[in-house]
Amino acid sequence: MSRVTISDLAKWKTAGQKWAMLTSYDQISAEIIDEAGIPVILVGDSAGNNFYGYENTIPVSLNEMISSTRAVVESSKHALVVADFPFGSYESSPEQALETGVRFFKEAKPQAVKLEGGAKVIPQIKKLIAAGIPVMGHLGLTPQSVHALGGFKVQGRGDSGISIKEDAKALEAAGVFALVLELVPAELANEISKELSIPVIGIGAGIGCDAQVLVWTDLVGLTKEPPKLAKAYRNLRSEIKGAISEWVLDVENSKFPDAEQTFH
C-alpha cells in the first residue's frame, strides 16, 4: 500500500471529502494510528508537553523532532507524515529554514513539513518549496508564540480575524499545500475553508474545516487534563493504571509469572 500524497489531499478538497489527522511521536503510536487508517500523521512539536515533559512546545529541539519523526516514518506505511519545525529552527532566515528542511528530509524522511506563522514566514516557505519540500501552514493560536499571545487563547475574534484571513490567503499564494487553523472562531474558520482552494485543517476551529487534527493522547484519554477543543473517545489512562495495579498485586501475591510465562 502506497502512502497518501499531497495530491490526494487536494483531490479530497475538490470532492468535499473530509479526513482526519493525528499526532504521533513514537513507534508504537505511529503503528497503531497507521493501522487505523489515519491518512496524515503530524509529528508535532506538541511532543514537548505530551511526550518530553516540557511545559509547552518551545523547548523542543530540532534533534528531538528529527528523532521522533524518524520513528514515525519508519513505523508507518500508509499515512503521509508531516514534521513540525520546532521553535528557533526557521525564524531567522530562509536559509535557516532550508537547512532545517534538508536535515528533516535526509535524516528522518517525512513527506512534508509544517511551520507556524503568516506573512512573516513567506520567504521561508518559498525557499522550502523551491527546494522540493512541501509545506503545511499554521495560523490562529500558534503555540510557539504562546507568550506573545498572552496564553492559550482563542485567536481571530472581531477585527483580528481579518489579519488571519489575509495571512491564510498569503500562505496559499506562497504555495502551502494545506493549512492548520488552531483555536479560532468556527465562523471564521468556515469562511477561510470555503475561500481557499487548499485543505484547511481545524483544531478547536469548528466543523466547517476540510479536516480535523487532534493530539493522539487527548483522543484516547491518556492526557491528564485534556483541553476543551479535544474529545476523549476512550479512557486509556484509567485502563493502563488498572492493568498496572492488577499486575502489581499479582507480583506481590506470587501469581505472576504463572506457568504460561515460565520457561523450563
Side-chain angles (χ1 to χ4, degrees):
M1 181 183 295
S2 59
R3 287 189 185 271
V4 172
T5 69
I6 61 174
S7 297
D8 292 324
L9 305 186
K11 292 176 183 176
W12 296 346
K13 170 80 174 188
T14 301
Q17 177 180 338
K18 294 197 174 187
W19 47 276
M21 178 168 78
L22 270 177
T23 65
S24 175
Y25 322 109
D26 62 278
Q27 173 194 345
I28 297 297
S29 66
E31 288 177 350
I32 295 170
I33 291 167
D34 194 59
E35 290 171 4
I38 292 295
V40 183
I41 296 177
L42 172 64
V43 188
D45 61 355
S46 51
N49 49 319
N50 290 282
F51 190 72
Y52 290 117
Y54 303 141
E55 180 182 1
N56 51 46
T57 67
I58 294 172
V60 180
S61 71
L62 178 56
N63 286 339
E64 287 171 330
M65 286 303 304
I66 287 175
S67 178
S68 288
T69 302
R70 184 187 300 115
V72 171
V73 171
E74 292 183 355
S75 305
S76 59
K77 299 177 181 178
H78 170 68
L80 184 153
V81 178
V82 182
D84 250 344
F85 274 19
F87 179 70
S89 68
Y90 63 96
E91 295 90 339
S92 65
S93 69
E95 289 71 27
Q96 184 197 28
L98 180 58
E99 182 179 347
T100 298
V102 168
R103 280 202 63 192
F104 264 120
F105 264 47
K106 291 180 73 68
E107 298 177 36
K109 302 178 182 179
Q111 289 76 57
V113 299
K114 181 174 77 66
L115 51 83
E116 297 180 6
K120 65 181 180 180
V121 295
I122 284 178
Q124 285 90 328
I125 290 171
K126 289 183 175 179
K127 189 79 169 179
L128 288 162
I129 293 173
I133 300 174
V135 180
M136 177 182 287
H138 187 151
L139 295 173
L141 174 68
T142 46
Q144 293 174 12
S145 303
V146 63
H147 296 310
L149 296 174
F152 292 95
K153 301 177 180 178
V154 175
Q155 304 296 309
R157 286 178 171 147
D159 292 340
S160 63
I162 297 174
S163 63
I164 291 180
K165 186 180 291 188
E166 290 175 347
D167 274 341
K169 293 179 178 179
L171 290 179
E172 179 182 35
V176 300
F177 70 89
L179 174 65
V180 172
L181 288 180
E182 181 170 358
L183 214 58
V184 301
E187 183 178 354
L188 174 63
N190 186 48
E191 290 175 2
I192 293 173
S193 299
K194 289 181 176 178
E195 293 182 19
L196 297 190
S197 61
I198 59 173
V200 174
I201 307 156
I203 178 166
I207 199 68
C209 297
D210 304 297
Q212 298 289 330
V213 59
L214 281 179
V215 170
W216 84 272
T217 52
D218 293 344
L219 176 74
V220 300
L222 282 174
T223 306
K224 190 172 184 179
E225 297 179 0
K228 174 180 170 59
L229 56 80
K231 177 180 178 180
Y233 283 76
R234 296 290 187 274
N235 190 349
L236 293 194
R237 190 179 188 91
S238 177
E239 287 292 312
I240 292 172
K241 287 171 64 178
I244 292 170
S245 296
E246 288 180 31
W247 177 70
V248 168
L249 286 174
D250 280 355
V251 170
E252 291 174 347
N253 293 301
S254 299
K255 293 182 179 180
F256 179 92
D258 63 17
E260 291 185 12
Q261 294 88 41
T262 301
F263 300 88
H264 299 284

